[in-house]
């Protein structure tokens, strides 16, 4: 389903862009690399969903850039080839391990609501509007955080100027890439929305038709936008003509007058854009099996929820359990941690989030005793109170898990010095808000639909209601694992709320079940998010283990595909291993700088 193993046109464009920046072009034998899910070697590694994007990162590493430089170049290329998942109209979370200090740093580049936003942003006459109407609207658009994230990361830890790192993606947008079945299918999924916006229709439905598999897709407007950011810096998106274009598209959505779709306007202002700032903050951290697991603190719920689940499972030797008992414990730990997430996690700038208490082993132990080996818990499960832990208590008010879109992208990078980046970025739903900024070549996010439209349950406190300047709660879980201060592995995934369970299951598969990283990523997934049933991919749905789990009271529903993880791992001999999906989203792209030995 993903793009062909070698995109000759796109990769030749990439090589030309690198020459234009003074960096060495990839040698001829790597100018059109095969798309493979696992690679090992020296000099650094990149794993993403896309071969062009991974190649952009590898070229930066080969030219002497570090992991941060390569991550920005990879992300910019993903904005071209994965425009329905990410881009400069969205935001994300950047986790960085600095080898010189042996410290993990994070950047919260989440989108923010307008200063005018209230708790009833997605309500009319006291009633929440339908999700699809909130999604395809100016009301759903938050201030983009991705360009500011790139600037923050490069200013703090990068070694190359932004303009140099954007040129490969700029040339890729101008010269084009080869359309594959996945790109066409994602376009078709959005066809009814896209056709109602003339600029979106012109770009993604050329001639009013779906892009043809095998054709070349070009985005000259995005190339020009990247060139503008290269000249002026990322501040051009937050102040000046580009910012004004974004605000105009949100406040007066450029919808076809003949369209019958109701497209609500948003209230974003140029002041909202100019006020935007990323947050550099401490990561979450838990100890697990003698390792230190770092991830994103709120506004993301990824670090707290994965961390709490790991703490719950710490007291059980998962390596010695049967497959059914292992999955049962994993499902139950996920259920419990999601119950607590829903009650306690929101934007800490606006809510009292007990992050330290949620990640305490003491609290996890009081929740772990809810798990019985012979009987499943039922959802929605009531939350506990991490501020006042009580053994085996679930005394809070029950609330279901609210809906969260399932698209995003993730990349992982390591360099020859031992620096590591785990970076998840998104525009929320596949296709975001469906609004393309006229003349600019990129889609705007619908990230504000990650807020609860109304309290999840009447009378139950909900920390994720909209508010002025507030960041919506996320599930993005970019993770880095250290042993004795040095990196062991880094992982992350797209998938909305299933990101948390994907990252958790991948960590357990690698660290507890002993699977090679690529196999831990490929293993069939289950996702329990404090819902009445657990989602299963076909590999588990069609397995005898499902019957064993149902005998314990577990209930299931099918999901054809959960997540699309990537990761890197430091091998004992000093090589880096990059790993990506084998089949999900058509398979990912893992590359290393020197696959055949040290340079």
């Amino acid at each position: 389903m993903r793009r062909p193993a070698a995109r000759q046109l796109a990769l030749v464009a990439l090589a030309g862009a690198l020459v234009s920046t003074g960096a060495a072009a990839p040698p001829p034998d790597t100018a059109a690399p095969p798309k493979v899910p696992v690679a090992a070697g020296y000099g650094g590694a990149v794993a993403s969903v896309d071969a062009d994007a991974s190649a952009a990162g590898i070229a930066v590493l080969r030219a002497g850039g570090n992991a941060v430089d390569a991550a920005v170049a990879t992300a910019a290329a993903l904005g071209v080839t994965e425009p329905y998942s990410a881009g400069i109209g969205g935001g994300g979370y950047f986790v960085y391990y600095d080898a010189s200090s042996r410290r993990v740093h994070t950047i919260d580049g989440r989108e923010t609501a307008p200063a005018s936003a209230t708790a009833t942003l997605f309500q009319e006459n006291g009633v929440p509007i339908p999700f699809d109407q909130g999604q395809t609207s100016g009301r759903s658009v938050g201030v983009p955080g991705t360009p500011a994230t790139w600037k923050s990361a490069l200013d703090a830890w990068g070694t190359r100027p932004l303009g140099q790192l954007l040129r490969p993606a700029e040339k890729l947008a101008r010269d084009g890439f080869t359309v594959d079945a996945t790109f066409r299918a994602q376009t078709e999924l959005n066809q009814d929305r896209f056709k109602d916006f003339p600029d979106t229709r012109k770009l993604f439905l050329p001639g009013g038709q779906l892009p043809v598999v095998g054709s070349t897709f070009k985005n000259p407007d995005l190339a020009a936008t990247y060139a503008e950011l290269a000249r002026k810096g990322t501040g051009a998106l937050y102040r000046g003509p580009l910012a004004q274009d974004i605000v105009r598209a949100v406040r007066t959505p450029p919808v076809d007058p003949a369209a019958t779709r109701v497209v609500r306007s948003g209230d974003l202002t140029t002041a909202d854009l100019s006020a935007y700032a990323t947050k550099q903050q401490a990561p979450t951290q838990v100890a697990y099996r003698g390792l230190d697991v770092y991830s994103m603190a709120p506004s993301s719920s990824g670090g707290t929820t994965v961390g709490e689940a790991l703490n719950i499972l710490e007291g059980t030797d998962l390596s010695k359990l049967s497959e059914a008992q292992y999955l049962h414990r994993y499902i139950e730990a996920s259920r419990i941690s999601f119950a607590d997430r829903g009650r306690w996690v929101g934007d800490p700038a606006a809510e009292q989030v007990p992050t330290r208490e949620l990640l305490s082993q003491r609290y996890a132990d009081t929740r772990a005793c809810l798990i019985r080996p012979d009987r499943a818990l039922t959802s929605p499960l009531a939350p506990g109170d991490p501020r006042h832990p009580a053994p085996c208590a679930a005394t809070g008010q029950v609330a279901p898990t609210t809906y969260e879109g399932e698209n995003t992208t993730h990349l992982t990078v390591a360099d020859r010095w031992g620096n590591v980046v785990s970076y998840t970025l998104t525009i929320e739903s596949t296709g975001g808000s469906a609004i393309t900024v006229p003349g600019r070549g990129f889609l705007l996010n619908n990230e504000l639909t990650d807020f609860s439209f109304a309290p999840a349950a009447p009378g139950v406190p909900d920390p994720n209601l909209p508010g002025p300047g507030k960041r919506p709660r996320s599930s993005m879980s970019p993770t880095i694992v250290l042993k004795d201060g040095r990196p062991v592995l880094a992982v992350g995934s797209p998938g909305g709320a299933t990101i948390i369970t994907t990252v958790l299951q991948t960590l357990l598969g690698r660290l507890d079940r002993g699977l090679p990283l690529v196999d831990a990523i490929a293993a069939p997934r289950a996702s329990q998010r404090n819902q009445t049933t657990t989602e299963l991919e076909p590999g588990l749905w069609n397995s005898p283990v499902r019957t064993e789990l149902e005998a314990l009271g577990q209930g299931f529903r099918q999901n054809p595909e959960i997540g699309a993880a990537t990761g890197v791992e430091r091998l004992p001999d000093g090589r880096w291993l990059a790993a990506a999906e084998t089949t999900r989203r058509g398979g990912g792209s893992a590359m290393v700088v020197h696959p055949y030995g040290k340079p």
Side-chain angles (χ1 to χ4, degrees):
M1 289 287 289
R2 293 297 309 159
R3 297 178 177 82
R7 282 201 216 150
Q8 297 285 353
L9 177 61
L11 289 167
V12 167
L14 171 63
L18 291 167
V19 169
S20 73
T21 68
D29 62 339
T30 60
K35 188 175 184 184
V36 296
V38 62
Y42 296 96
V46 179
S48 79
V49 74
D50 183 79
D52 289 320
S54 295
I58 287 293
V60 168
L61 295 177
R62 183 174 290 126
N66 69 9
V68 172
D69 303 323
V72 170
T74 303
L78 287 169
V80 179
T81 61
E82 300 287 327
Y84 307 146
S85 301
I88 57 174
Y93 297 95
F94 193 102
V95 179
Y96 170 64
Y97 168 78
D98 180 70
S100 62
S101 65
R102 298 192 185 183
R103 291 184 57 197
V104 176
H105 307 265
T106 74
I107 299 172
D108 181 332
R110 184 67 157 157
E111 301 88 338
T112 56
S116 61
T118 68
T120 59
L121 177 66
F122 290 105
Q123 296 180 31
E124 292 179 356
N125 301 316
V127 177
I129 63 176
F131 179 86
D132 63 332
Q133 293 185 22
Q135 173 192 32
T136 309
S137 74
R139 196 173 300 189
S140 71
V141 180
V143 178
T146 290
T149 300
W150 295 350
K151 176 174 171 52
S152 294
L154 292 172
D155 285 351
W157 312 297
T159 68
R160 298 291 188 269
L162 175 67
Q164 179 178 326
L165 301 174
L166 289 181
R167 283 179 197 139
E170 175 194 339
K171 194 160 181 63
L172 186 61
R174 182 175 295 111
D175 292 350
F177 62 88
T178 304
V179 171
D180 70 349
T182 296
F183 188 84
R184 178 184 167 92
Q186 290 181 338
T187 309
E188 186 173 16
L189 178 68
N190 284 284
Q191 187 171 11
D192 287 343
R193 295 201 300 150
F194 285 1
K195 67 180 177 58
D196 288 342
F197 298 90
D199 296 276
T200 306
R201 182 176 63 226
K202 179 181 177 182
L203 177 59
F204 297 113
L205 297 168
Q209 303 298 315
L210 291 171
V212 176
V213 174
S215 65
T216 300
F217 185 92
K218 299 180 180 181
N219 190 341
D221 286 345
L222 181 58
T225 300
Y226 276 163
E228 182 175 348
L229 295 179
R231 291 192 311 271
K232 299 179 180 179
T234 58
L237 187 134
Y238 299 96
R239 291 170 295 278
L242 178 52
Q244 293 166 7
D245 289 347
I246 291 171
V247 168
R248 189 178 303 112
V250 171
R251 297 180 70 88
T252 309
V255 64
D256 189 331
T260 59
R261 182 183 303 276
V262 175
V263 181
R264 293 168 174 82
S265 62
D267 197 31
L268 198 70
T269 67
T270 54
D272 292 320
L273 267 72
S274 64
Y276 183 84
T278 62
K279 293 183 177 181
Q280 292 193 36
Q281 60 189 38
T284 60
Q285 187 270 329
V286 296
Y288 187 71
R289 315 292 193 212
L291 305 170
D292 293 300
V293 182
Y294 294 87
S295 190
M296 277 305 309
S299 59
S300 180
S301 65
T304 56
T305 311
V306 171
E308 181 183 350
L310 289 173
N311 283 341
I312 288 170
L313 295 167
E314 174 79 17
T316 302
D317 187 348
L318 300 179
S319 68
K320 295 182 178 179
L321 297 180
S322 68
E323 183 73 6
Q325 273 298 313
Y326 154 64
L327 288 169
H328 174 66
R329 301 272 181 160
Y330 151 71
I331 288 169
E332 299 297 82
S334 299
R335 189 194 314 270
I336 293 167
S337 59
F338 264 91
D340 293 335
R341 164 198 188 259
R343 169 62 184 87
W344 297 107
V345 182
D347 182 352
E351 307 289 339
Q352 294 293 321
V353 183
T355 299
R356 181 176 60 85
E357 292 86 351
L358 283 168
L359 291 170
S360 73
Q361 190 62 54
R362 178 190 174 205
Y363 179 61
D365 291 343
T366 68
R367 301 292 275 160
C369 61
L370 292 169
I371 299 176
R372 294 182 49 172
D374 59 344
R375 184 191 305 171
L377 295 163
T378 57
S379 289
L381 180 73
D385 188 342
R387 304 164 304 174
H388 307 288
C392 303
T395 57
Q397 296 171 287
V398 171
T401 298
T402 54
Y403 176 78
E404 189 174 334
E406 293 191 357
N407 212 356
T408 292
T409 195
H410 180 82
L411 62 95
T412 40
V413 181
D415 64 29
R416 61 185 177 184
W417 299 283
N419 303 302
V420 178
V421 171
S422 185
Y423 181 22
T424 313
L425 59 160
T426 184
I427 58 171
E428 215 281 326
S429 298
T430 306
S433 65
I435 299 172
T436 298
V437 181
R440 298 296 189 169
F442 64 91
L443 289 159
L444 290 171
N445 69 82
N446 65 299
E447 214 64 61
L448 301 189
T449 60
D450 271 353
F451 284 123
S452 302
F453 283 25
V460 179
D462 189 330
N464 192 41
L465 293 170
K470 192 174 180 182
R471 286 164 155 84
R473 181 174 62 207
S474 171
S475 295
M476 288 182 269
S477 310
T479 300
I480 296 177
V481 181
L482 307 182
K483 182 177 177 61
D484 299 327
R486 297 186 183 278
V488 173
L489 61 90
V491 295
S493 178
T498 69
I499 292 172
I500 290 169
T501 56
T502 294
V503 169
L504 176 61
Q505 192 173 352
T506 301
L507 290 172
L508 299 178
R510 180 70 191 97
L511 302 177
D512 288 276
R513 304 297 283 182
L515 297 175
L517 182 56
V518 69
D519 293 340
I521 288 172
R525 294 186 183 129
S527 182
Q528 168 54 242
R529 306 185 298 280
N530 198 25
Q531 296 177 322
T532 54
T533 55
T534 298
E535 293 180 3
L536 289 187
E537 287 187 324
L540 288 174
W541 181 267
N542 298 320
S543 167
V545 75
R546 175 165 69 97
T547 302
E548 296 181 60
L549 290 167
E550 288 173 337
L552 301 176
Q554 300 284 2
F556 300 106
R557 66 187 188 277
Q558 284 200 70
N559 185 332
E561 188 174 277
I562 299 173
T566 71
V568 297
E569 180 177 355
R570 194 63 182 262
L571 300 176
D573 61 7
R575 291 181 300 157
W576 284 108
L577 180 141
E581 294 288 352
T582 56
T583 57
R584 294 182 187 94
R585 286 173 72 168
S589 170
M591 297 184 187
V592 293
V593 175
H594 299 290
Y596 304 113
K598 294 182 179 180

